[in-house]
Amino acid sequence: MKRTKIKSALSNKVIGQEICLKGWVRTRRGSKNVSFIALNDGSTINNIQVVAEGESFNEDVLKKITTGVAISVIGILVESKGGGQNVEVLAAAIEVLGEADADEYPLQPKKHSLDFLREKAHLRFRTNTFSAVFRLRHALTFAVHKFFNDKGFSNIHTPIITGADAEGAGEMFQITNLNLENIPKTDGKVDYTKDFFGSKTNLTVSGQLEAELAAMALGQVYTFGPTFRAENSNTSRHLSEFWMIEPEIAFADLDENMDLAEEFLKYCIQYCITNCADDLRFLDGRLENEEKNMKKEERSEMGLLEKLQFVIENDFVRLTYREAIDILRNSKPNKKKKFNYIIEGFGSDLQSEHERYLVEKKFKKPVIITDYPKGIKAFYMKQNEDGETVRAMDILFPQIGEIIGGSQREENLDKLVARMEEMEVDKDELWWYLETRKFGTCTHSGFGLGFERLIMFVTGMKNIRDVIPFPRTPQNADF
């Protein structure tokens, strides 16, 4: 018999019909006379109740139906007589597909800490919290592709293996197939000509530079792929392997870049509100319960759903770095030295605490900061006439801090070369990047969005390790 998904069964479209359900048991309660089984198959956060009359089933079969067991149920979908659900299934046949020893199965029907569930990452998808998070991750993935496709962008698969350090930061994972027990050397240095690619290579930190090349022919492109950073950071906002979305647009200046980024974020959030209402309602309630025992000043000022709606309905505040520095320098936390990093003046690098102050305390809206000092930004950013700042922009969100970083790119070959020399970026290594400034250069812009940070914002999860299936962090590559 063809299987009916629980999401479809709960829509009341097949009442009175015999259906076949397959899923995992969340709970079973009842007596010898009747058992009530909560069944979930991942198609929705909602369970369906299966009613099994004791006289119709072998007692040995019912004893095997414990939390975590996979079963197949054939029965009639009827309107529920009890509270808590509109429909239920009167079981005629139940088959145990996969047993789960109740003494060993770690996800019993009780509250588990997120730390514990990270240790059980192979099973945590089965909890309400993580099933909701990863359905939303899928929805956001689809929304990203739909947004750019509908706007005529081309998706570009940029290389994961690269010889270039896009940011010039040096925090890259090196890859090699050299024998580490017997590394070939010439004049005391590693001879990379003997390595697989004939030169030193790494895992990419960004697909931006290659995406720029494509934008110079296709007009508007975007990448969406894994990126890697060997930063020894164990904060709740950093991963060693994460996913980046990076559009690049020819003939677009910084203002057009900001407009696109704001529209993009609002689109993705609205898509989730429209298509993932049940999951968001659950996560909204989860966040409220999680914060009940926190001090008032530590709680979120808005519920999850309220916060998402607020972002969609409000224009983002736009201000320059100089304006942001003036606000921060004159703020109470700065004057009373409550910031961990005191703002002295122009040139200070904004930390998460400063970004969150601007968003959550000062403006109470998402904020876009532009025109940063060139000394704290990457070599490829368009230099302003003042000689001190670049046409950069960062979008700051409540609780997250920076969610998007972007810029107008420097299209002038002489200025780009001078900046690379100033920052000691290898021109020979990026000869191909420089050639795009020799052949048909033009104004162009782009930005990068850390996908996991967007998922954190939409789901209300507070640790980035809880929005990616199998987090990669320092000293941890389990699963």
Side-chain angles (χ1 to χ4, degrees):
M1 188 175 183
K2 188 176 180 181
R3 177 169 76 100
T4 298
K5 291 183 179 177
I6 288 173
K7 184 175 184 178
S8 176
L10 290 173
S11 68
N12 301 347
K13 292 178 181 175
V14 288
I15 283 186
Q17 294 182 28
E18 186 176 64
I19 60 173
C20 173
L21 303 176
K22 294 181 181 181
W24 295 271
V25 174
R26 289 291 175 85
T27 60
R28 179 174 75 89
R29 59 184 177 83
S31 62
K32 281 186 176 181
N33 297 326
V34 62
S35 290
F36 299 98
I37 302 164
L39 194 65
N40 190 283
D41 65 0
S43 62
T44 170
I45 196 165
N46 299 309
N47 304 326
I48 195 166
Q49 179 166 278
V50 176
V51 181
E53 299 285 351
E55 61 189 30
S56 303
F57 295 94
N58 187 303
E59 190 176 339
D60 291 337
V61 172
L62 293 177
K63 280 182 180 178
K64 290 180 181 178
I65 300 175
T66 57
T67 299
V69 168
I71 63 173
S72 172
V73 177
I74 294 176
I76 304 294
L77 187 73
V78 298
E79 291 185 8
S80 181
K81 296 176 182 176
Q85 65 276 327
N86 294 323
V87 295
E88 60 191 19
V89 174
L90 298 180
I94 298 177
E95 180 185 357
V96 175
L97 303 176
E99 297 182 19
D101 189 322
D103 294 329
E104 293 185 28
Y105 186 61
L107 303 184
Q108 293 303 313
K110 64 177 182 179
K111 184 176 175 61
H112 296 288
S113 73
L114 296 177
D115 284 337
F116 172 79
L117 290 172
R118 279 178 217 131
E119 296 172 4
K120 308 293 180 186
H122 58 306
L123 297 172
R124 67 177 180 170
F125 298 101
R126 302 188 190 189
T127 65
N128 281 337
T129 296
F130 287 98
S131 67
V133 165
F134 292 116
R135 274 189 296 270
L136 277 157
R137 185 179 175 113
H138 162 74
L140 282 165
T141 300
F142 185 81
V144 167
H145 287 298
K146 181 165 173 53
F147 175 83
F148 286 117
N149 181 71
D150 290 353
K151 283 193 166 292
F153 280 68
S154 297
N155 182 221
I156 299 297
H157 295 153
T158 53
I160 291 173
I161 299 170
T162 179
D165 181 353
E167 300 294 330
E171 297 168 334
M172 304 182 77
F173 288 102
Q174 188 176 337
I175 63 169
T176 181
N177 76 334
L178 292 176
N179 181 354
L180 299 184
E181 302 296 327
N182 186 24
I183 297 175
K185 293 186 177 182
T186 302
D187 298 328
K189 295 183 179 180
V190 177
D191 184 359
Y192 287 108
T193 63
K194 301 289 196 301
D195 208 347
F196 187 87
F197 292 104
S199 60
K200 186 177 179 181
T201 50
N202 312 286
L203 295 178
T204 186
V205 297
S206 169
Q208 175 202 315
L209 302 188
E210 292 89 350
E212 282 188 53
L213 313 183
M216 290 297 99
L218 299 174
Q220 46 187 19
V221 304
Y222 73 105
T223 75
F224 189 169
T227 49
F228 308 85
R229 188 156 294 177
E231 183 178 2
N232 190 17
S233 176
N234 275 298
T235 76
S236 61
R237 298 168 66 241
H238 291 91
L239 290 167
S240 301
E241 176 186 279
F242 52 99
W243 288 68
M244 286 287 290
I245 298 146
E246 298 172 296
E248 290 291 328
I249 318 103
F251 312 111
D253 62 15
L254 187 67
D255 289 327
E256 293 169 277
N257 199 31
M258 289 190 286
D259 290 343
L260 180 75
E262 181 170 342
E263 183 186 358
F264 170 60
L265 287 169
K266 288 181 175 179
Y267 177 92
C268 290
I269 292 168
Q270 182 62 64
Y271 185 89
C272 290
I273 291 172
T274 302
N275 294 281
C276 306
D278 288 346
D279 288 321
L280 285 174
R281 270 194 296 269
F282 169 81
L283 291 169
D284 184 45
R286 179 198 168 276
L287 184 62
E288 184 181 355
N289 288 331
E290 185 186 56
E291 295 188 347
K292 272 181 181 175
N293 298 323
M294 294 170 62
K295 294 177 183 176
K296 188 176 180 181
E297 60 270 20
E298 294 175 351
R299 294 178 201 161
S300 305
E301 292 189 11
M302 297 181 183
L304 177 61
L305 288 168
E306 185 183 5
K307 177 185 72 174
L308 297 180
Q309 201 63 46
F310 182 80
V311 168
I312 290 171
E313 293 172 355
N314 284 280
D315 292 336
F316 295 4
V317 174
R318 300 184 182 188
L319 69 159
T320 66
Y321 169 86
R322 290 183 191 274
E323 291 168 332
I325 285 294
D326 286 342
I327 291 168
L328 290 165
R329 192 174 59 226
N330 295 313
S331 68
K332 282 185 180 180
N334 200 62
K335 287 181 174 179
K336 293 184 176 181
K337 300 193 182 301
K338 289 190 175 181
F339 283 143
N340 292 320
Y341 297 88
I342 302 302
I343 295 292
E344 302 291 351
F346 184 87
S348 298
D349 203 351
L350 300 186
Q351 305 294 325
S352 178
E353 59 182 344
H354 308 133
E355 295 168 346
R356 292 188 61 177
Y357 172 83
L358 291 169
V359 174
E360 297 169 23
K361 303 298 181 186
K362 176 64 179 176
F363 295 107
K364 299 185 185 296
K365 291 180 183 178
V367 171
I368 308 180
I369 298 179
T370 65
D371 301 294
Y372 282 82
K374 66 179 184 179
I376 60 174
K377 287 297 181 181
F379 73 91
Y380 50 72
M381 296 187 177
K382 175 75 175 174
Q383 297 171 55
N384 283 321
E385 296 297 324
D386 61 16
E388 290 185 316
T389 60
V390 290
R391 298 292 284 155
M393 66 97 174
D394 287 346
I395 299 184
L396 314 178
F397 263 23
Q399 299 169 339
I400 301 297
E402 181 192 333
I403 195 166
I404 276 181
S407 71
Q408 186 172 325
R409 315 310 191 189
E410 181 58 76
E411 81 277 13
N412 182 290
L413 178 62
D414 293 337
K415 287 184 178 180
L416 183 59
V417 168
R419 187 76 180 119
M420 290 172 76
E421 289 174 347
E422 190 180 323
M423 296 185 71
E424 298 182 349
V425 176
D426 191 337
K427 301 192 300 295
D428 293 333
E429 187 180 89
L430 294 177
W431 64 270
W432 44 269
Y433 185 71
L434 291 172
E435 281 206 350
T436 60
R437 273 64 176 177
K438 290 169 63 178
F439 308 132
T441 189
C442 67
T443 299
H444 62 288
S445 301
F447 62 81
L449 165 71
F451 189 45
E452 282 74 24
R453 289 195 182 180
L454 176 60
I455 302 169
M456 285 175 71
F457 184 76
V458 171
T459 61
M461 302 301 287
K462 294 180 179 177
N463 194 313
I464 199 166
R465 302 175 195 205
D466 296 327
V467 296
I468 192 167
F470 305 105
R472 299 295 183 243
T473 52
Q475 303 297 310
N476 174 43
D478 292 340
F479 308 101

